[in-house]
Amino acid sequence: MVLFGVLVLFQTFSLPGQFAHMAAESPQDAYLRWPATVVAVFWVLCVQVVIVATWKLLSLVKSDRIFTEASLKWVDAIVWAIAAAWVVLVGVFLYVGFNADDPGLPLLLFLLTVGVSVLGLLMVVMRALLRQATTLRTDMEAVI
């Protein structure tokens, strides 16, 4: 809960202020202020969706309802948030990659893209395992 609150503060105050300061310090890059702000706020929003969905999944574990259809909706929310963040990250990677004069930032963005890809694929596997376990539990309850 505290992390979510910190992210809201970061999203509303810190990121816009940071990009405004960067625009003032580097007027030649000031045109990137609003696109960078929107992208950064969007990524924080994706993290917030993952936090809320994880919190809901933990409450389902606590109430022993993790192997139900309700849990699949929250896992879907995590998968979609990661997918949306990945799509925007690929867009930023391509933009920076085609416009960079130094290979450092494109390489960093490439590594981040690979990391988010692995995380997304892991969540797809976890979702498939949850679906199988839910089906198995439902079948077992039907037999008993």
Side-chain angles (χ1 to χ4, degrees), residues 8 10 17-18 21 23 36 40 44 48 50-51 59 64 70 80 96 104 112 117-118 122 126 131 141:
V8 169
F10 189 67
Q18 177 63 34
H21 175 74
V44 172
Q48 290 169 329
V50 170
I51 289 170
S59 68
D64 195 32
W80 282 108
V96 169
L112 283 172
S117 299
V118 168
L122 177 65
M126 297 302 288
R131 179 173 291 289
E141 289 173 352

Side-chain angles (χ1 to χ4, degrees), residues 15-46:
L15 287 172
Q18 177 63 34
F19 289 118
H21 175 74
M22 288 171 61
E25 291 293 315
S26 301
Q28 71 276 10
D29 295 328
Y31 69 96
L32 292 173
R33 173 186 179 187
W34 290 111
T37 301
V38 169
V39 166
V41 167
F42 178 74
W43 282 335
V44 172
L45 177 66
C46 290

Side-chain angles (χ1 to χ4, degrees), residues 11-130:
Q11 195 173 32
T12 54
F13 297 112
S14 182
L15 287 172
Q18 177 63 34
F19 289 118
H21 175 74
M22 288 171 61
E25 291 293 315
S26 301
Q28 71 276 10
D29 295 328
Y31 69 96
L32 292 173
R33 173 186 179 187
W34 290 111
T37 301
V38 169
V39 166
V41 167
F42 178 74
W43 282 335
V44 172
L45 177 66
C46 290
V47 171
Q48 290 169 329
V49 168
V50 170
I51 289 170
V52 169
T54 303
W55 182 28
K56 295 300 266 180
L57 286 168
L58 288 173
S59 68
L60 289 172
V61 168
K62 186 176 180 181
S63 64
D64 195 32
R65 294 182 38 226
I66 191 65
F67 298 115
T68 62
E69 290 294 321
S71 63
L72 292 172
K73 293 175 186 170
W74 291 109
V75 174
D76 282 343
I78 293 172
V79 170
W80 282 108
I82 292 171
W86 182 86
V87 167
V88 173
L89 181 59
V90 168
V92 170
F93 168 63
L94 291 174
Y95 177 80
V96 169
F98 284 118
N99 295 309
D101 52 357
D102 176 27
L105 186 56
L107 182 59
L108 177 64
L109 289 171
F110 174 74
L111 291 174
L112 283 172
T113 303
V114 170
V116 173
S117 299
V118 168
L119 181 63
L121 291 172
L122 177 65
M123 286 309 303
V124 168
V125 169
M126 297 302 288
R127 185 188 186 288
L129 290 172
L130 180 62

